[in-house]
Amino acid sequence: MAAQLGVMDLVAGVEGVEFPPGTGQVKWASGIVTMEPWITPIGQDGPDVLGVRSMASTPDISQIESKDSFVYIFDIRDLCKNIDDLDLEDRTTVVHLIKDKISRGIPVLVRGFPLPSIEWDFSSVNRMKGSLLNPISIQEARLRMASETYTKSPVADLHLELKLGDFIAAATEPDSEDSPKMCGNLLDSHSVDWSAMPWVITDINEQATTVYQNRRDWHIRLNKNAEGKEIAEPETFSGPQSMHPDGWQLQMWDLFTHGGFFTRIHHDAAGAGTWMAIRVGGKMWNLVDVSQQGIRSRDRLVDRFYHATDLFTGTPSQPVPHKAITVCLQCGDILIQPPNIMHCVYTPVKSIATGGHFYMYSSMHLTQFGCRVDHRKGGWTTNQVHPGASHLMINMALALPNFSDKPMLKVPFLGLARLILDRDAYEPSLDGVGTARYYPQDIQHREELGELDKVKKIIQAVLEANNIPLSQVDILLQSLGRDYKDPGDEQMDLSCLRE
Ligand SMILES: O=C(O)CCC(=O)C(=O)O
Ligand SMILES: [Fe+2]
């Protein structure tokens, strides 16, 4: 695929190879032409085709003046003297800029950021993932079409199990009666090779920093014997020692996607920020900024996120005030999404992307709202549950004394306070699938409970030192920021945590 002068050819050589002969094409607002999704009901345009045509008609980022855009774009080479030998001053400037935008709910597109090159072939994927025989579970477009009617009914299973190598081969296998072609997406296969973690991301992974800072703590609640007496346990290990694997796996993963796969509109789960870098191929990425205009209540805003799930589906929806923009992501691009940004994605050629989730103190008000959306409507608005996420948030609160010498914004702090103090109000809803249940003896559960005792004290001490009564936290959180995305500029004084 050529990526010259910003014009990508996304159709050359794919018909009859990645796409069955006769697949239609669609022209996007930027002029880029791609193949349409080829999984459709016989003789009609299916929901994926309608969704992609609707995406294609939204303005392209290149057509919007930067002052009118809700996405912030820069080329890394314009902000750094030498990207091959980066100095701390440039690194600090860039990271500060990204954190500032993300904390305001503004997606950032970094261009010109080279990552180690890989290919969609057996040897490259074998090196990345260690085996082509490993079983994987993919989302498959034909199964989804069969299971989902794009009405608000529960989604039946759209997953298919196969070997990684067979999935890689299937991208270019022809459609035949004996073996129908598949169109799949392997999401969130956590990264083994971390060499492609961009430094702009390492420096915003604050959840990882805090797990390090808490390495000497021990807060595990002790088990009790039959008489209710605590059973002593040696503090053999210190620090968070029972992290759910998801807590580190969510940090970096690889996405392998067949040409023609459409991911419908969603926001990423657990109030996480997300980064995404293209390694092979490209993606048409539609960012949707749901507006709070005209409403004050956060619950009504949650309803807007719910109704926004009808956008780009070909199904009429309740009107949802929003802005939408298309970005054609290609190699060298890193898209960094704040929590809550809704997006739908079309992959017009076989692609590999590396990405991950992150949490930052300065965007905790966005995380708090995102978790609230998941709690009320998660079964519709998102495609994931992150069982490791709440322990990461607890770790961020636990590490607060380490930040008592740095500025801490008030609105994001209040977001974190709510997540900790009123945890049940933020449990993700799985719409009938059931919620995560732990055995009380489970070390992970006992550690979270012990840590919660501690972090509640930390949060309450800070609130008290800043003269904020508990009853005011939610009220302040909703009214201090003009928009739910606004972190404000008021600071919280953490000096009471110095000792
Ligand atoms: O690439 C895709 O199809 C979807 C990616 C995405 O939105 C996600 O991983 O959350
Ligand atoms: Fe997503």
Side-chain angles (χ1 to χ4, degrees):
M1 184 182 56
Q4 284 160 357
L5 302 171
V7 182
M8 300 175 80
D9 188 340
L10 292 160
V11 291
V14 296
E15 193 174 345
V17 183
E18 291 186 51
F19 290 76
T23 304
Q25 298 188 349
V26 56
K27 189 170 184 176
W28 296 67
S30 60
I32 287 177
V33 176
T34 69
M35 305 302 280
E36 288 186 327
W38 55 273
I39 301 263
T40 56
I42 293 166
Q44 40 172 306
D45 295 325
D48 290 4
V49 170
L50 297 177
V52 166
R53 284 185 196 155
S54 156
M55 277 177 81
S57 66
T58 56
D60 188 84
I61 198 157
S62 58
Q63 299 170 306
I64 297 180
E65 293 268 337
S66 57
K67 68 173 173 37
D68 299 324
S69 173
F70 65 91
V71 181
Y72 188 82
I73 316 180
F74 66 90
D75 192 305
I76 195 74
R77 292 161 296 194
D78 295 338
L79 292 193
C80 299
K81 291 180 275 302
N82 181 356
I83 55 164
D84 299 320
D85 186 15
L86 190 67
D87 68 25
L88 184 59
E89 191 189 353
D90 286 349
R91 184 170 182 146
T92 309
T93 308
V94 170
V95 171
H96 186 82
L97 177 72
I98 294 173
K99 282 190 178 181
D100 180 67
K101 299 295 174 198
I102 296 299
S103 68
R104 295 168 195 283
I106 300 170
V108 176
L109 176 60
V110 186
R111 300 213 117 136
F113 203 111
L115 291 180
S117 69
I118 51 173
E119 303 285 335
W120 184 292
D121 63 24
F122 286 153
S123 46
S124 193
V125 174
N126 195 14
R127 188 209 56 80
M128 264 178 103
K129 297 301 209 185
S131 169
L132 297 170
L133 302 177
N134 188 243
I136 55 167
S137 170
I138 61 157
Q139 284 193 6
E140 206 279 320
R142 200 188 304 264
L143 287 181
R144 187 181 59 193
M145 192 177 67
S147 68
E148 199 179 54
T149 50
Y150 282 85
T151 58
K152 305 272 182 189
S153 60
V155 177
D157 197 14
L158 47 105
H159 292 92
L160 190 71
E161 303 269 335
L162 74 168
K163 293 188 177 73
L164 178 58
D166 293 342
F167 178 74
I168 295 302
T172 47
E173 268 161 13
D175 196 21
S176 75
E177 240 166 70
D178 304 341
S179 86
K181 191 169 172 54
M182 75 174 81
C183 180
N185 196 8
L186 172 59
L187 284 148
D188 297 13
S189 71
H190 74 264
S191 298
V192 188
D193 170 7
W194 285 52
S195 62
M197 167 76 81
W199 56 264
V200 289
I201 302 302
T202 327
D203 288 10
I204 62 173
N205 270 332
E206 292 182 356
Q207 82 292 348
T209 315
T210 62
V211 173
Y212 160 74
Q213 285 160 349
N214 297 333
R215 73 197 174 285
R216 291 157 61 97
D217 295 350
W218 199 89
H219 298 290
I220 296 174
R221 246 190 220 178
L222 294 179
N223 256 331
K224 294 190 175 148
N225 67 15
E227 286 88 51
K229 268 193 83 177
E230 285 185 339
I231 307 166
E233 280 179 60
E235 292 184 29
T236 322
F237 308 102
S238 55
Q241 50 187 291
S242 62
M243 299 299 297
H244 192 292
D246 173 65
W248 55 270
Q249 288 168 0
L250 59 74
Q251 213 174 127
M252 190 163 169
W253 28 257
D254 307 302
L255 263 171
F256 295 75
T257 314
H258 287 162
F261 193 88
F262 172 65
T263 294
R264 66 178 196 159
I265 184 167
H266 65 282
H267 74 126
D268 290 348
T274 304
W275 63 278
M276 180 74 66
I278 302 293
R279 311 288 301 281
V280 173
K283 283 180 190 280
M284 306 305 288
W285 200 282
N286 212 311
L287 290 159
V288 178
D289 185 29
V290 174
S291 161
Q292 193 187 330
Q293 212 179 26
I295 49 175
R296 292 192 67 82
S297 135
R298 291 291 151 87
D299 276 353
R300 290 203 42 214
L301 187 56
V302 173
D303 293 339
R304 267 193 193 165
F305 272 74
Y306 172 63
H307 292 305
T309 58
D310 278 333
L311 297 168
F312 310 106
T313 60
T315 312
S317 81
Q318 290 238 6
V320 176
H322 71 278
K323 286 185 193 157
I325 235 177
T326 303
V327 185
C328 175
L329 287 179
Q330 40 190 311
C331 289
D333 290 343
I334 305 173
L335 176 66
I336 312 175
Q337 296 186 137
N340 308 327
I341 275 287
M342 297 202 83
H343 48 285
C344 54
V345 182
Y346 179 55
T347 306
V349 285
K350 62 184 186 321
S351 297
I352 305 176
T354 297
H357 296 303
F358 63 88
Y359 291 94
M360 301 186 332
Y361 284 108
S362 58
S363 53
M364 269 297 146
H365 58 306
L366 304 175
T367 295
Q368 179 255 349
F369 179 70
C371 291
R372 190 66 193 150
V373 178
D374 284 2
H375 177 77
R376 294 232 0 252
K377 298 286 183 196
W380 307 119
T381 56
T382 187
N383 51 3
Q384 268 274 13
V385 175
H386 282 297
S390 77
H391 202 180
L392 293 173
M393 294 172 210
I394 294 173
N395 264 273
M396 291 182 74
L398 202 55
L400 278 169
N402 297 281
F403 296 89
S404 55
D405 60 344
K406 296 193 179 74
M408 175 74 56
L409 286 170
K410 184 170 185 171
V411 172
F413 177 88
L414 295 175
L416 180 58
R418 284 282 293 162
L419 284 163
I420 298 293
L421 298 175
D422 196 7
R423 246 172 129 230
D424 290 349
Y426 298 94
E427 270 285 304
S429 110
L430 301 181
D431 284 333
V433 186
T435 47
R437 292 259 177 267
Y438 299 100
Y439 292 109
Q441 304 91 324
D442 183 299
I443 189 165
Q444 188 186 329
H445 185 59
R446 289 187 290 120
E447 182 166 56
E448 281 201 26
L449 290 180
E451 287 175 350
L452 267 175
D453 290 343
K454 174 78 182 171
V455 292
K456 282 182 181 162
K457 288 191 187 119
I458 293 177
I459 300 270
Q460 280 164 4
V462 176
L463 291 173
E464 208 165 291
N466 286 265
N467 298 318
I468 301 175
L470 274 183
S471 58
Q472 289 292 303
V473 172
D474 202 31
I475 296 165
L476 284 172
L477 187 56
Q478 300 212 17
S479 60
L480 272 182
R482 285 180 297 280
D483 188 269
Y484 81 102
K485 286 186 280 191
D486 186 357
D489 48 19
E490 273 190 75
Q491 304 275 335
M492 210 66 186
D493 181 1
L494 300 191
S495 58
C496 65
L497 301 178
R498 288 256 167 98
E499 305 83 54

